């Protein structure tokens, strides 16, 4: 098997067949062996049925992994890579925002250039709102300044890589997965190609601003422990400021310059300021502790309720 298309699906009932037909049209032309690995991530609509119908009716190699509930796109990609049999693995969305033609081009690049291990697409121009763009570019600035792993601005999960890289990604068994970081952390030679994300074929994006924000926080925490140094920095700064404040008070009282006006409010302000700074620091430590706790439980990244192998192949 040359290529595995790993397709995470969450509520994509109207898109899976469209994706199948579009991808088949592109890859049948290429004339090589390929499979589509659909991961149904606990969809609440009829995606599961649509996929089964597709499996029954299509003459392509279709593998379906159905989760027992929604585990998130990261878990879906992990499961898809785990079940992919191809020499090349391509991560591609079901909504056709990422054109299969580009995936075919990625495979071509890998074939032309044996030194390349991965071809990743990044968005040069974005069609989203200015505010979202601002937050996204701020995220890349922050994460690149606090993490040793390199994050390429606008890089998506849309990429094709060799089996060796797929195995490397699978060897990272962390529960809180952040693929943009994991795929960069494992190393290998990656070529970035620009692409323009199309409009969604049908349906809506399942990423709300809140979900994206918490995903960004997860990403920073997974690839940097810099926030844990914040208590040290703030504590040091607070310590210096309070010593200076004390000295100023002693000197002004020696020279009877002390003016009691506003003293109570000043003290209240300082108590509240340092109280909240301490809580923020404890909160940050708590967040990391929670991640460690969750990882410590060693729960599986996903649970499959059903796996359907391509026709003619035995079910696991
Ligand atoms: N997806 C998933 N699980 C989720 C959310 C999304 O498998 O919990 C899939 C979704 O079906 C799609 C891809 O991940 O194939 C990208 O999702 P979406 O289009 O909602 O995100 P966007 O393109 O807006 O970033
Ligand atoms: Mg999409």
């Amino acid at each position: 098997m040359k290529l595995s298309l790993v397709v995470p699906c969450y509520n994509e009932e109207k898109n899976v067949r469209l994706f199948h037909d579009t991808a088949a049209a592109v890859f049948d032309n290429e004339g090589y062996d390929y499979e589509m690995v659909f991961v149904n991530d606990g969809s609440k609509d009829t995606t599961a049925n649509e996929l089964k119908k597709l499996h029954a009716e299509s003459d392509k190699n279709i593998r379906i992994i159905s989760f027992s509930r929604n585990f998130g796109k990261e878990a879906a990609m992990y499961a898809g890579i785990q079940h992919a049999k191809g020499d090349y693995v391509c991560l591609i969305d079901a909504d056709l925002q990422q054109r299969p033609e580009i995936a075919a081009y990625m495979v071509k690049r890998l074939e032309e250039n044996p030194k390349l291990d991965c071809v990743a697409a990044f968005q040069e121009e974005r069609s989203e709102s200015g505010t979202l763009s601002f937050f996204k570019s701020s995220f890349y600035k922050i994460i690149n300044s606090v993490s040793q792993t390199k994050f390429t601005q606008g890089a998506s999960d849309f990429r094709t890589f060799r089996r060796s890289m797929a195995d490397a990604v699978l060897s990272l068994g962390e529960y809180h997965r952040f693929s943009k970081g994991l795929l960069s952390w494992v190393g290998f030679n990656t070529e970035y190609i620009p692409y323009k994300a199309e409009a969604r074929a049908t349906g809506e994006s399942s990423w709300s601003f809140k979900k994206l924000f918490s995903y960004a926080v997860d990403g920073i925490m997974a690839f940097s422990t810099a926030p844990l140094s914040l208590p040290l920095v703030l504590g040091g700064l607070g310590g210096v400021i309070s010593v200076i404040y004390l000295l100023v008070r002693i000197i002004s009282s020696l020279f009877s310059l002390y003016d009691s006006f506003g003293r109570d409010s000043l003290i209240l302000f300082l108590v509240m300021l340092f109280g909240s700074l301490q809580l923020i620091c404890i909160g940050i430590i708590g967040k990391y502790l929670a991640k460690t706790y969750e990882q410590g439980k060693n729960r599986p990244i996903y649970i499959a309720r059903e796996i359907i192998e391509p026709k003619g192949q035995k079910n696991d």
Side-chain angles (χ1 to χ4, degrees), residues 163-216:
R163 169 108 326 253
S164 47
M165 189 157 164
D167 291 341
V169 171
L170 292 176
S171 73
L172 307 177
E174 53 206 81
Y175 185 76
H176 295 281
R177 305 186 73 77
F178 192 69
S179 284
K180 288 184 195 12
L182 297 177
L183 286 158
S184 167
W185 188 89
V186 292
F188 295 95
N189 291 325
T190 300
E191 178 176 78
Y192 288 92
I193 57 167
Y195 90 110
K196 192 179 166 304
E198 307 292 325
R200 230 174 187 282
T202 72
E204 276 177 15
S205 166
S206 46
W207 291 90
S208 60
F209 183 77
K210 198 174 146 215
K211 242 173 133 180
L212 271 178
F213 186 78
S214 98
Y215 185 59

Side-chain angles (χ1 to χ4, degrees), residues 3-9 19 23 27 34-40 61 63-65 67 72-86 88-95 98 103 157-161 163 166 170 179:
L3 172 71
S4 299
L5 296 168
V6 168
V7 197
C9 307
F19 175 87
F27 289 101
Y34 67 94
E35 63 173 3
M36 299 186 202
V37 183
F38 289 100
V39 184
N40 177 22
N61 287 309
R63 177 172 285 119
I64 305 168
I65 297 123
F67 285 180
K73 187 187 175 189
E74 287 289 342
M77 289 191 291
Y78 178 82
I81 300 173
Q82 212 174 33
H83 287 85
K85 303 277 188 277
Y88 301 115
V89 177
C90 173
L91 302 176
I92 185 165
D93 289 353
D95 55 14
Q98 306 166 339
D157 297 323
F158 182 26
R159 32 187 110 199
T160 305
F161 40 87
R163 169 108 326 253
L170 292 176
S179 284

Side-chain angles (χ1 to χ4, degrees), residues 277-289:
L277 286 181
Q278 280 172 19
L279 286 178
I280 289 172
C281 294
I282 294 172
I284 291 172
I285 298 168
K287 278 280 229 182
Y288 276 90
L289 187 66

